[in-house]
Amino acid sequence: MFGGAGGNKFDMLKQMKKMRSQVKTMEKELAGLNFVGISKNKLLSITLDGKFQMKSIQIEDELLEKKDKNLLERSIQEAYTKALQDAQAGAAKQMQAMGGFPGLGM
């Protein structure tokens, strides 16, 4: 990973510092990205950032007026799943764009 068992400890520390810096940069980049998932009925949307943290949820009045708990639960699940899939794909794409993490198979 860092040049073999006999590798220079200084080089290993240098590479670890570089990787740590890359991770911090990537975390900042990912936090600034937004991914929106919309339910199939288009009455609910959820926004996640690139670190998979929920930023917002919007529910159309029409969905609330239906007073259908199962429909609301299903809509939340659909929107969240879509946003999460998009966020995961976006994070992977961002990681590739930044050159991944050589030596870690990424």
Side-chain angles (χ1 to χ4, degrees):
M1 177 172 155
F2 294 109
N8 184 325
K9 288 182 182 184
F10 180 73
D11 288 339
M12 183 170 42
L13 290 174
K14 204 165 132 180
Q15 191 155 3
M16 287 175 62
K17 184 177 179 180
K18 180 180 176 183
M19 287 175 61
R20 198 172 18 237
S21 176
Q22 283 180 308
V23 168
K24 286 181 181 180
T25 300
M26 187 174 301
E27 284 178 344
K28 287 178 186 176
E29 295 274 334
L30 290 174
L33 299 175
N34 288 314
F35 301 91
V36 180
I38 301 172
S39 63
K40 291 178 186 175
N41 59 23
K42 301 190 185 330
L43 298 176
L44 188 139
S45 66
I46 292 177
T47 303
L48 301 179
D49 67 15
K51 293 174 71 178
F52 315 129
Q53 299 296 309
M54 189 178 301
K55 293 298 184 183
S56 68
I57 183 168
Q58 282 92 27
I59 304 170
E60 296 294 326
D61 291 338
E62 180 183 338
L63 182 58
L64 294 175
E65 290 166 1
K66 292 182 183 213
K67 297 183 181 183
D68 183 340
K69 181 182 175 190
N70 290 328
L71 179 60
L72 177 59
E73 290 171 346
R74 199 168 48 249
S75 296
I76 292 169
Q77 186 177 25
E78 291 167 359
Y80 179 78
T81 298
K82 176 69 171 128
L84 183 60
Q85 289 170 344
D86 289 352
Q88 289 170 333
K93 185 177 179 181
Q94 185 73 17
M95 198 166 155
Q96 286 178 337
M98 292 184 72
F101 293 112
L104 294 180
M106 299 178 170

